[in-house]
Every structure is written in structure tokens, then in C-alpha cells.
């Protein structure tokens, strides 16, 4: 009888330790949030662009083609971390950026210009 009670107690302790180990797995770190603030770069063949998001809701973007500046401008933006959307306002246009993925080093966005539903594209940026 004592042996059965001892075996049962050992079984319960092993079960409790196992449950605790499983519940403390690395999945607990999946809620990490990263900031879009910083300088990002995207390359496409002969063209590449750099976009900078400042903490004050302002930003700067520049596009190079064959090593020469093709476009450069300033913008303001609002980032909603709940919906993972960035609203950019630049030169009278509003551009919606849907954040598909955001890590410490990578920003993947879907770009949609309002009024131009067919002009969607996916861009991958790397933090500089």
C-alpha cells in the first residue's frame, strides 16, 4: 500500500513539473512588439528606396534609380498598432500601408493608394 501511495505521489510530481515546463515554453515571447520608427530600405533591381519614420509622426522617403535620386519627399504618418496600419499623408495624397509583418529587422507592407484599388503591391524593407 505504501508503495502505491509513493508511486502515485511521484507520478503526480512528474505530471506537475511537466505541465509547468510546457506552460513556460518560448511561445510566451510571441507578443513582442516592434516599432516602425527608424530607417528602412527596400531594393528592386536597379531601384531602391529608403523610408524613415520619426517618433514625432513625420517621415522622409527617397527613391533611387540606377544610382540617382528619382524621388524625394517628406510625409506625416499615423501608425495604429492594433490594426497594423500606417496612414501616410504626402503631397496631398493619402496612402494606406497594411503591415503584414514587423520584426526587429524586417518590415513587410502592402501598399494601397486610395482610389486606386488595382495599385496594390507588397514591399519588403530591411532596417538600416
Amino acid at each position: 500500500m505504501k508503495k502505491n501511495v509513493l508511486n502515485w505521489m511521484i507520478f503526480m510530481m512528474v505530471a506537475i513539473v511537466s505541465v509547468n515546463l510546457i506552460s513556460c515554453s518560448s511561445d510566451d515571447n510571441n507578443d513582442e512588439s516592434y516599432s516602425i520608427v527608424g530607417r528602412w530600405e527596400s531594393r528592386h533591381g536597379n531601384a531602391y528606396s529608403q523610408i524613415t519614420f520619426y517618433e514625432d509622426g513625420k517621415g522622409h522617403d527617397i527613391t533611387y534609380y540606377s544610382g540617382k535620386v528619382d524621388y524625394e519627399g517628406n510625409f506625416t504618418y499615423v501608425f495604429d498598432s492594433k490594426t497594423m496600419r500606417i496612414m501616410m499623408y504626402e503631397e496631398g495624397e493619402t496612402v494606406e500601408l497594411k503591415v503584414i509583418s514587423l520584426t526587429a529587422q524586417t518590415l513587410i507592407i502592402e501598399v494601397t493608394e486610395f482610389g486606386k484599388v488595382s495599385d496594390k503591391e507588397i514591399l519588403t524593407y530591411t532596417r538600416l
Side-chain angles (χ1 to χ4, degrees), residues 1-93:
M1 181 73 170
K2 282 185 180 182
K3 188 174 183 179
N4 287 340
V5 171
L6 183 61
N7 285 340
W8 183 82
M9 288 176 59
I10 291 172
F11 172 78
M12 290 304 293
M13 287 188 339
V14 169
I16 290 170
V17 169
S18 297
V19 167
N20 284 336
L21 288 175
I22 290 170
S23 68
C24 293
S25 71
S26 62
D27 299 16
D28 296 346
N29 294 330
N30 285 345
D31 63 349
E32 290 183 39
S33 61
Y34 299 100
S35 174
I36 65 167
V37 173
R39 208 165 109 211
W40 302 86
E41 181 175 87
S42 180
R43 293 189 172 268
H44 308 281
N46 289 339
Y48 70 96
S49 63
Q50 292 180 349
I51 188 167
T52 305
F53 295 99
Y54 300 108
E55 289 182 16
D56 64 357
K58 295 179 182 175
H60 182 79
D61 61 339
I62 186 166
T63 302
Y64 298 88
Y65 184 76
S66 296
K68 296 179 181 175
V69 174
D70 185 52
Y71 173 81
E72 186 170 8
N74 296 309
F75 60 89
T76 59
Y77 74 93
V78 176
F79 176 56
D80 185 337
S81 61
K82 290 181 181 148
T83 63
M84 296 302 283
R85 300 210 185 266
I86 304 167
M87 300 303 291
M88 286 179 55
Y89 309 97
E90 182 174 15
E91 296 182 1
E93 284 193 43

